[in-house]
Amino acid sequence: MMGDHGISTDQISLNDVIWFKPISLGAMNLQIQWRQVRLPLIHAFTIAHGTSDFRINTIVSIQHQGITGFGLAAPNPRYGETPTTTDQALHRIAMMLPENPLAIRSIMHKVNQHIEGAYAAKAAVDMALHDWLGKSLDAPLHYIWGIDATQIAPTSMTIGVDTPEKVQKKVREVPQFKVLKIKLNGERDRELIQAIRDVTDQPLRVDANEGWRDKTTALKEIEWLATQGVELIEQPMKAKFWGEHAWLKERSPLPLIADEALDGQGDMTALANAYHGINIKLMKCGGLLPAMDLISQARAFGMSMMLGCMVESSLGIAAAAQIAPLVDYVDLDGHLLIRDDPFLGPRLEKGRLQVPQRPGLGALERLAH
Ligand code: MG
C-alpha cells in the first residue's frame, strides 16, 4: 500500500515501532522519553499524494520536578520526515536539553542552531516544554499567553478523495461541522463537488494538495469552484511553482492558501507574492513558538491564516487549539480521522473545538491499550 505522500508504508517496518518501550535520556533532573504509536485510520485516506490506512506518531514526555509535559510528532514524508528521522532527531535534541526546562525560547533556539529541519521532532519537544510550563504554573497555556479561548472559529472537517458515493456517505456522517474541506486531486474534481452539492449546501474549502498540473487548469477549476459555494483554495499546484501561483493569485476569484509551499519559517515575502494566506501547522514549523512567529509575520503582511494539522493524536490538536483563536480558518480535525487515540483532547461542540481549560496543553493521557 502506498503511504500518504507516495512513500510505501512497507518501508515503515515493525522494527521502527517502539511499542510503549520508552527511550529515556537527559540530565539528572530532567528526563525526556519517547515512544512510537500506530494509529489506525477510520477511513483509508486518499489525497493527491496517495492513500494509506494508518499513521505512526511519536509521543514525547519531559519530566522534571515531578511534573510531566507531553508533546507529539506526526512526521510527514511530504517534508522528508518519517518516524525514523524523528527518532534520530529526538536523540540529538535530548542531548541538548538543559536541567531546567523553563527557558523554552532559548532551548529551542539552540536546537534550531544545531539541527536543520526535523520539524515534527522539534514540535514535539516545544509542545512538551509548554505543557510542562503550564502544568508547573497550574494554568492552561492560552491563559499564560493571553489568548481568548471563546474566539475560536469553527473547524473544518476533511473529506478525502474517494468515489462520489463514498464521499456523499462521508459528508452525511458529519452534519455537525459548519464547513467541510474537500480534497481534490485533479481527476474527478467536478464530479465529486457535484456529488457533495447533492447532499449538502454547507460552505466548502478545497485542498488540491498540489494536484492541478498548470496555472490555466487551476484557474479554470477555481472559477468553476467559485460558483459552487467554495470559499478558499489550498495549494493549487506544486509548491515549487512560485511564478505560476503569483500569476494565479492575480486572477483567482477565491483566496489561495499556501500549505505545502510553507515549511519552517518560509519566505513571507515570496509567500505574500503568490498566495493570499498561509496554512500554519505545528509539524511543519516546529511547534508553538515558531507558529506564533508565523502568525505575527502573516499579520504584518496582511495575509490570512489557517491553522492546520496532520493526521494526528488529540495531543497535537490540544496544542494547536491553544493558539487557534488567533487565526481566521481552523482546520484541526486530524484526531477525528483515527481510532485508538492515546490522548483525550479538545471536545467538539457545534463544530467548534473547545480549547481545553486544563493546565498546560490540556490533553489527558489514556491508559495504555
Ligand atoms: Mg493542505
Side-chain angles (χ1 to χ4, degrees):
M1 171 171 284
M2 294 301 283
D4 194 8
H5 290 107
I7 186 174
S8 166
T9 46
D10 300 336
Q11 291 166 12
I12 301 168
S13 71
L14 280 180
N15 293 334
D16 296 331
V17 184
I18 306 154
W19 297 97
F20 299 98
K21 188 177 148 205
I23 290 175
S24 180
L25 287 170
M28 280 274 265
N29 295 320
L30 183 145
Q31 291 277 307
I32 176 170
Q33 303 187 332
W34 62 94
R35 66 176 197 252
Q36 293 177 341
V37 289
R38 189 182 206 273
L39 306 174
L41 304 186
I42 293 170
H43 296 287
F45 193 74
T46 302
I47 61 167
H49 300 121
T51 303
S52 64
D53 63 4
F54 70 94
R55 288 293 187 289
I56 305 280
N57 283 186
T58 300
I59 296 166
V60 171
S61 68
I62 288 178
Q63 287 164 296
H64 181 62
Q65 293 177 345
I67 294 170
T68 303
F70 290 104
L72 186 82
N76 192 318
R78 167 62 181 74
Y79 303 98
E81 296 184 31
T82 65
T84 305
T85 64
T86 298
D87 185 57
Q88 290 159 352
L90 285 171
H91 272 97
R92 295 184 62 198
I93 296 171
M95 306 313 286
M96 284 178 213
L97 293 180
E99 301 241 338
N100 185 331
L102 275 175
I104 303 177
R105 198 171 270 278
S106 303
I107 294 169
M108 295 314 296
H109 180 67
K110 185 175 162 199
V111 167
N112 283 316
Q113 277 185 319
H114 289 90
I115 300 177
E116 260 185 72
Y119 294 114
K122 289 172 182 170
V125 172
D126 164 295
M127 276 182 221
L129 291 168
H130 283 103
D131 193 35
W132 189 91
L133 170 72
K135 286 171 174 169
S136 71
L137 297 176
D138 197 27
L141 184 64
H142 65 273
Y143 279 23
I144 296 167
W145 281 352
I147 296 170
D148 181 354
T150 65
Q151 294 303 306
I152 192 166
T155 183
S156 50
M157 176 69 183
T158 301
I159 307 288
V161 178
D162 215 321
T163 62
E165 298 72 30
K166 287 201 179 137
V167 163
Q168 283 182 332
K169 182 169 175 285
K170 287 182 197 169
V171 168
R172 285 202 194 93
E173 284 170 4
V174 293
Q176 67 273 38
F177 292 92
K178 297 189 186 318
V179 55
L180 300 174
K181 177 158 133 179
I182 312 301
K183 298 281 194 180
L184 296 181
N185 63 1
E187 287 170 24
R188 304 169 76 180
D189 295 354
R190 294 193 186 199
E191 198 186 339
L192 287 178
I193 294 294
Q194 277 162 345
I196 290 164
R197 277 291 167 246
D198 287 342
V199 293
T200 181
D201 51 13
Q202 281 167 306
L204 305 179
R205 296 171 187 165
V206 160
D207 189 353
N209 282 115
E210 314 184 279
W212 290 323
R213 64 179 185 275
D214 57 46
K215 62 189 182 186
T216 46
T217 307
L219 181 60
K220 198 164 59 129
E221 291 309 303
I222 294 170
E223 284 173 343
W224 180 78
L225 290 166
T227 69
Q228 299 297 312
V230 171
E231 59 181 28
L232 61 80
I233 307 287
E234 225 180 290
Q235 201 62 53
M237 295 172 281
K238 294 226 177 298
K240 64 184 178 193
F241 290 0
W242 291 96
E244 288 86 343
H245 279 104
W247 179 92
L248 188 61
K249 185 194 174 194
E250 301 232 314
R251 293 160 180 82
S252 172
L254 296 176
L256 308 179
I257 309 292
D259 184 4
E260 283 86 344
L262 166 62
D263 66 347
Q265 282 295 297
D267 173 344
M268 204 55 69
T269 307
L271 285 160
N273 189 44
Y275 301 88
H276 301 90
I278 56 171
N279 185 346
I280 300 166
K281 296 177 181 170
L282 302 183
M283 298 303 160
K284 290 193 304 173
C285 68
L288 289 155
L289 285 179
M292 292 290 269
D293 292 343
L294 280 169
I295 288 171
S296 302
Q297 280 192 67
R299 273 212 192 106
F301 277 83
M303 298 179 81
S304 58
M305 289 164 270
M306 176 183 286
L307 188 63
C309 60
M310 302 300 177
V311 176
E312 62 188 57
S313 161
S314 292
L315 172 57
I317 304 300
Q322 301 294 325
I323 59 171
L326 300 177
V327 305
D328 308 289
Y329 309 111
V330 175
D331 182 30
L332 296 176
D333 63 345
H335 60 311
L336 303 171
L337 308 176
I338 59 168
R339 287 186 277 125
D340 304 337
D341 193 334
F343 281 82
L344 277 175
R347 281 181 305 112
L348 193 67
E349 225 167 77
K350 293 180 183 152
R352 276 169 219 271
L353 291 176
Q354 307 296 299
V355 185
Q357 297 301 308
R358 294 182 286 267
L361 305 180
L364 290 179
E365 194 182 24
R366 292 180 199 245
L367 290 176
H369 49 283

